Amino acid sequence: METVGIGIAGAGNVGGALARRLIDDRKAIREKTGLDLEPRRVVVRDTARDRGLPPEIIATEVMDLVSDEGVDVVVEVMGGIEPAGDLVVAALKAGKPVVTANKELVAARGPELLAIAADAGVPFLFEAAVGGGIPIIAPLMESLAGEKIRRVMGIVNGTTNYMLTAMSETGADYAAVLAEAQTLGYAEADPTADVSGMDSASKAVILAGLAFGVWVSPSEVHREGIDGLEPADFAAAARLGHTIKLLAVAEATSGGVVVRVHPTLIPLTHPLAGVRGATNAVYIEGDSVGQLLFAGPGAGGMPTATSVLGDVISAARGIVAPSVVVPPVRVEVGEHGDFGALETQWCLRIEVEDAPGVLARIAGVFGSLGVSIKSMRQDGRGDGATLLIVTHAAPEAAQRKAHEGLVGLSSVREVASAIRLEGDEA
Ligand SMILES: NC(=O)c1ccc[n+]([C@@H]2O[C@H](COP(=O)([O-])OP(=O)(O)OC[C@H]3O[C@@H](n4cnc5c(N)ncnc54)[C@H](OP(=O)(O)O)[C@@H]3O)[C@@H](O)[C@H]2O)c1
């Protein structure tokens, strides 16, 4: 049996778990797959740290993974754009399959890296880049390759889903749940990439690229984070029979692919509403297949290493039996579609003055822009009255203008929040 040499850049949460799995499970993998996989070089920055790995395979030069003839498959689990990008390009050009978990790199340079891989005739695989341990990339690339996908909606960031679940279930405020998430290790000391929606945006770009064949730039994704959410938003959502999730949504419109990340009200009956804690889920709507839900652990060394290991096995199969090599995938770089033209539904929480004609003036703002009101409810009376307005679907641009119009009304004290809804209207 031919042994396939594996080189791993990075031995942190994911790389460390992968290297140990390759060593501990070598026999089991061989028996199950017929492949003998051997970790031959593991590259880190700090060689002094004990990682429970044989010291002779620990190294520090990333590019040695390309020149080392004993390395047949290169795994990049360092993170960041550089030197990860240089390593991936050099390895692919040298004819070595590459496996990565690096969503930031794949989102930023996916089409280029896939094209280099296709030209070199080797696979570039990134199952772990979205949804950690959830198999979602291979289903999109292979099982759903012939499906006309209309929309992909995902809870693709475990940190924020943990925090939103806690806010929804305990009534605690943002600062308290962030502090708790940091204490428990669900949130980084600097949580910006997660709470701002940046991490979700990278994953949304990858999902959109594979679902629609069009790769938009991560900087074009409309992005709103969760830091402005208040307990009152969750109380309002509950009154409407909804909950709030940070959704990454990608859809094909006549004007192009629109990708967005924002807090979203979804009905409690929606399959994504029951996705709690750090769990991730991706919901796909296809013309022929209907609705699909993929759910599971979106992070963690071991679950993520499972996805990476699956890709390593695919790549190794292609080396041992070239006829089963993973077919090349090419995607186009595309212009982002016009979000303003997309039909969205909004829920607005408005503090109003106790004066005659207020409701008529508010309704007039919506009516003048062609946005119809689905429901309006009032909590409290007099000067402390709060209105909760849910609109019917209307172009995003009109919804934003209505929001601006309300902010400008003298009888409106404050538009306390404006959150989009999904899954409420067919
Ligand atoms: N953690 C997860 O649950 C998860 C889930 C899905 C995807 N991912 C992705 O997987 C990748 C790795 O994540 P992680 O959590 O495993 O990261 P991590 O724990 O920070 O580990 C990074 C590893 O890369 C090494 N490294 C970084 N820069 C290097 C350089 N220039 N030269 C040599 N070695 C270098 C580090 O070496 P030292 O140990 O010496 O510092 C460390 O071993 C990232 O792209 C991440 O987005 C992670």
Side-chain angles (χ1 to χ4, degrees):
M1 186 186 290
E2 190 182 338
T3 296
V4 178
I6 314 298
I8 308 171
N13 295 311
V14 181
L18 175 72
R20 286 189 292 275
R21 290 271 288 280
L22 285 168
I23 293 167
D24 297 346
D25 298 350
R26 185 167 174 177
K27 183 163 170 282
I29 293 169
R30 196 165 53 219
E31 285 168 2
K32 191 167 179 194
T33 67
L35 296 164
D36 185 40
L37 308 180
E38 182 180 24
R40 292 203 170 133
R41 197 184 281 260
V42 177
V43 177
V44 296
R45 282 176 297 212
D46 175 6
T47 52
R49 199 183 319 158
D50 180 18
R51 302 162 195 272
L53 297 172
E56 65 275 14
I57 65 170
I58 300 290
T60 53
E61 285 304 317
V62 170
M63 286 299 169
D64 285 356
L65 296 177
V66 180
S67 53
D68 184 342
E69 288 185 1
V71 171
D72 301 304
V73 176
V74 172
V75 180
E76 184 283 301
V77 278
M78 289 187 291
I81 299 283
E82 292 303 344
D86 282 347
L87 169 66
V88 171
V89 169
L92 291 173
K93 286 190 170 165
K96 295 191 180 189
V98 173
V99 175
T100 183
N102 189 336
K103 62 238 149 184
E104 207 190 338
L105 176 66
V106 178
R109 296 179 62 181
E112 174 203 350
L113 299 176
L114 283 165
I116 293 171
D119 289 343
V122 290
F124 174 55
L125 302 168
F126 44 89
E127 182 59 72
V130 181
I134 309 171
I136 179 64
I137 300 298
L140 276 172
M141 278 191 184
E142 295 166 26
S143 326
L144 297 169
E147 177 70 5
K148 190 166 178 213
I149 295 174
R150 283 199 303 270
R151 191 153 75 140
V152 179
M153 289 205 288
I155 294 171
V156 288
N157 182 272
T159 303
T160 47
N161 202 49
Y162 174 86
M163 291 173 61
L164 297 183
T165 305
M167 287 181 83
S168 159
E169 294 181 1
T170 68
D173 69 13
Y174 174 82
V177 297
L178 174 58
E180 189 201 9
Q182 285 170 323
T183 305
L184 295 174
Y186 287 114
E188 306 269 347
D190 176 2
T192 311
D194 295 319
V195 300
S196 70
M198 255 157 25
D199 174 79
S200 294
S202 293
K203 292 164 178 170
V205 165
I206 299 170
L207 291 174
L210 298 178
F212 307 116
V214 177
W215 212 275
V216 302
S217 163
S219 63
E220 288 174 323
V221 173
H222 174 87
R223 183 166 56 77
E224 294 169 30
I226 66 162
D227 50 344
L229 292 172
E230 298 170 0
D233 294 316
F234 289 87
R239 279 202 297 282
L240 295 169
H242 284 57
T243 190
I244 303 175
K245 296 291 186 189
L246 182 68
L247 291 193
V249 187
E251 56 209 300
T253 72
S254 54
V257 173
V258 177
V259 187
R260 54 200 165 106
V261 174
H262 51 69
T264 313
L265 285 163
I266 51 171
L268 291 171
T269 49
H270 192 281
L272 289 173
V275 177
R276 298 177 63 254
T279 304
N280 280 200
V282 179
Y283 181 73
I284 296 178
E285 297 167 358
D287 263 3
S288 307
V289 75
Q291 285 92 41
L292 298 170
L293 182 70
F294 300 78
M302 273 300 181
T304 307
T306 294
S307 289
V308 176
L309 181 55
D311 280 349
V312 168
I313 289 169
S314 295
R317 282 199 177 113
I319 290 171
V320 172
S323 61
V324 297
V325 75
V326 178
V329 173
R330 286 185 191 266
V331 292
E332 286 173 27
V333 177
E335 290 288 309
H336 192 274
D338 179 8
F339 184 22
L342 190 77
E343 298 242 312
T344 55
Q345 233 190 313
W346 282 37
C347 173
L348 299 114
R349 190 162 56 83
I350 309 170
E351 310 289 337
V352 291
E353 186 173 88
D354 182 23
V358 173
L359 291 187
R361 281 196 286 280
I362 288 176
V365 169
F366 284 106
S368 68
L369 292 159
V371 179
S372 61
I373 294 174
K374 180 175 180 178
S375 68
M376 185 186 302
R377 44 180 91 195
Q378 180 173 335
D379 279 341
R381 301 188 62 186
D383 270 353
T386 299
L387 289 182
L388 199 56
I389 295 178
V390 176
T391 69
H392 280 296
E396 167 78 13
Q399 303 274 18
R400 288 188 198 176
K401 281 211 179 94
H403 180 246
E404 283 165 23
L406 294 175
V407 171
L409 278 186
S410 58
S411 42
V412 167
R413 290 192 199 287
E414 187 193 8
V415 179
S417 70
I419 305 176
R420 294 177 192 81
L421 273 88
E422 290 292 338
D424 199 52
E425 291 187 338

